[in-house]
Amino acid sequence: MTETAAIDATTASAPEKPHTKPARPYFSSGPCAKPPGWDAAKLATGSLGRSHRSKIGKARLQHAIDLTRKILRVPDTHRIGIVPASDTGAYEMAMWTMLGARPVTAIAWESFGEGWVTDAAKQLKLDPNILRADYGQLPDLGAVDWSHDVLFTWNGTTSGVRVPNGDWIADDRHGLSFNDATSAVFAYDMPWDKLDVTTFSWQKVLGGEGAHGVVILGPRAVERLTSYTPAWPLPKIFRLVSKGALTEGIFKGETINTPSMLAVEDVIFALEWALELGGLDGLIARSDANAAALDKIVEERDWLGHLAPDPATRSKTSVCLTVEGADEALIKRMAGALEKEAAAFDVAGYRDAPPGLRIWCGATVDTADVVALGPWLDWAYAVAKAA
């Protein structure tokens, strides 16, 4: 009888689990949720086992580029290339091939922006001017000197802070704008006339596979590439110029190194899904709805907050949340409890960020799943505090 009473007391004190789980509990900020309806059996396989330089291989790579241009509304003045090593490889390629011609300003308010600061300062030794802000904040963008080349992230994946728009980028700039947009493209309308270099990976808003990056070059970036030679040696996978001319094949499906054609078919699936939604407008609408649903969850709970307090600069994709009284251990217990119940996967904040939660709200997430997440956050918080 004593044992039974003890068990009953423990059970009675445990918080009740919600009745409805997210149908697709994938809230990771990269790799992100696959598009609704995705199934590996639905991918085209004609290019698999074939050379990426075969007629079909190049055609499928070009198709991915063409779909990207159409959905993102990239003007014909800009070139789009598929390159190695995810967004990191694409951004490093841009830095190593184009920086050094002018002074550099690096803007950092989260982990990945700090990575570009490190590379510019310690690897390329360019002594950049650095504009920093704490997690949750944005530096003074009005202080940017556009006689410099400027490095920035459009949407800070690890801080939940984004630039509000492109108005702060000078039309009469002499330097180049280097935009790490991996958590932003397909969720915001990019002002292409303001962007000289833009990079991203398929694994974010499209829910594609990792390892491949995309670089989008405006005419001013192309002019820099063909008129300037860096002082340092360039690895083969960074070389965009041959004999003083842009290697145009890279922007027509002729990749620098061997891509995964399975990953290419996977992202084509996502891009075609996006077209069915209505293209960029449909993707933005889904992301906006998800972010609004999460905002409502936060507003209804006094123990939850936004790491980015200003809605005008708050991410609509990688939304970072504060948790009352949280330390790293409590967040780990919350994330572990949610994963064990298959209610939410990968929601702990980034390791370098303040302890908190990070919920991906990009277009491949269903709004109903964000709504269903709210009660599970309550449950996980109670479980973690009681542990």
Side-chain angles (χ1 to χ4, degrees):
M1 292 293 292
T2 304
E3 273 188 25
T4 303
I7 292 170
D8 289 347
T10 301
T11 304
S13 64
E16 183 179 354
K17 295 177 185 177
H19 299 295
T20 303
K21 290 183 182 179
R24 296 190 306 133
Y26 303 105
F27 299 105
S28 164
S29 289
C32 300
K34 291 293 188 187
W38 181 92
D39 189 304
K42 296 180 180 180
L43 302 185
T45 58
S47 67
L48 305 189
R50 298 292 306 276
S51 168
H52 62 295
R53 302 194 187 281
S54 66
K55 185 176 180 180
I56 187 174
K58 287 195 286 188
R60 297 302 280 174
L61 286 158
Q62 182 66 60
H63 186 46
I65 290 171
D66 291 344
L67 288 173
T68 299
R69 185 180 298 279
K70 182 174 183 178
I71 293 168
L72 292 180
R73 303 167 185 161
V74 178
D76 291 340
T77 53
H78 288 54
R79 291 165 169 85
I80 304 173
I82 297 168
V83 299
S86 193
D87 176 61
T88 301
Y91 206 80
E92 293 277 8
M93 169 187 281
M95 291 176 66
W96 282 69
T97 55
M98 284 178 263
L99 291 185
R102 283 185 168 273
V104 175
T105 289
I107 310 175
W109 59 90
E110 51 95 50
S111 300
F112 292 106
E114 279 293 339
W116 309 138
V117 168
T118 297
D119 288 347
K122 294 185 178 180
Q123 301 300 321
L124 297 177
K125 303 186 186 304
L126 293 171
D127 191 23
N129 177 46
I130 303 169
L131 299 179
R132 285 191 172 96
D134 292 333
Y135 278 86
Q137 304 297 321
L138 193 66
D140 178 10
L141 299 178
V144 174
D145 180 351
W146 282 103
S147 69
H148 292 198
D149 292 332
V150 179
L151 311 175
F152 72 98
T153 54
W154 191 278
N155 185 101
T157 310
T158 68
S159 70
V161 178
R162 62 180 172 90
V163 296
N165 48 51
D167 295 349
W168 61 284
I169 303 173
D171 291 329
D172 60 351
R173 62 192 177 279
H174 295 288
L176 300 180
S177 58
F178 289 74
N179 171 28
D180 173 358
T182 199
S183 294
V185 288
F186 302 101
Y188 307 98
D189 195 359
M190 294 284 108
W192 295 110
D193 60 320
K194 301 276 192 173
L195 304 174
D196 301 308
V197 179
T198 298
T199 68
F200 64 91
S201 68
W202 296 336
Q203 68 190 32
K204 298 290 185 178
V205 183
L206 290 174
E209 293 301 298
H212 298 77
V214 174
V215 61
I216 301 179
L217 303 178
R220 299 176 75 252
V222 172
E223 193 279 331
R224 173 73 63 82
L225 281 167
T226 55
S227 64
Y228 165 70
T229 301
W232 42 81
L234 291 177
K236 180 181 178 181
I237 61 170
F238 285 178
R239 296 173 197 162
L240 294 169
V241 172
S242 177
K243 298 179 181 178
L246 191 71
T247 307
E248 294 286 359
I250 293 171
F251 309 97
K252 298 176 181 177
E254 298 174 12
T255 53
I256 293 174
N257 73 333
T258 305
S260 162
M261 294 309 297
L262 185 59
V264 171
E265 295 298 348
D266 181 76
V267 80
I268 287 173
F269 178 95
L271 290 164
E272 290 178 342
W273 166 78
L275 277 182
E276 292 174 4
L277 288 178
L280 184 60
D281 291 338
L283 293 172
I284 291 173
R286 282 181 63 91
S287 187
D288 286 353
N290 291 339
L294 188 57
D295 280 347
K296 186 171 186 295
I297 289 170
V298 173
E299 289 168 4
E300 292 172 348
R301 289 155 176 82
D302 58 9
W303 59 272
L304 266 181
H306 283 287
L307 182 59
D310 183 357
T313 57
R314 182 183 301 153
S315 172
K316 298 186 294 182
T317 55
S318 54
V319 185
C320 297
L321 305 179
T322 60
V323 176
E324 185 178 85
D327 56 16
E328 187 177 341
L330 185 138
I331 296 300
K332 187 175 181 179
R333 290 196 297 271
M334 285 187 70
L338 290 165
E339 181 168 345
K340 185 176 180 181
E341 294 295 327
F345 297 134
D346 310 315
V347 296
Y350 192 72
R351 60 182 180 269
D352 294 338
L357 301 173
R358 182 172 60 162
I359 312 297
W360 184 258
C361 289
T364 57
V365 173
D366 289 319
T367 304
D369 289 336
V370 178
V371 173
L373 178 63
W376 281 99
L377 293 178
D378 293 328
W379 172 83
Y381 183 53
V383 167
K385 287 184 68 178

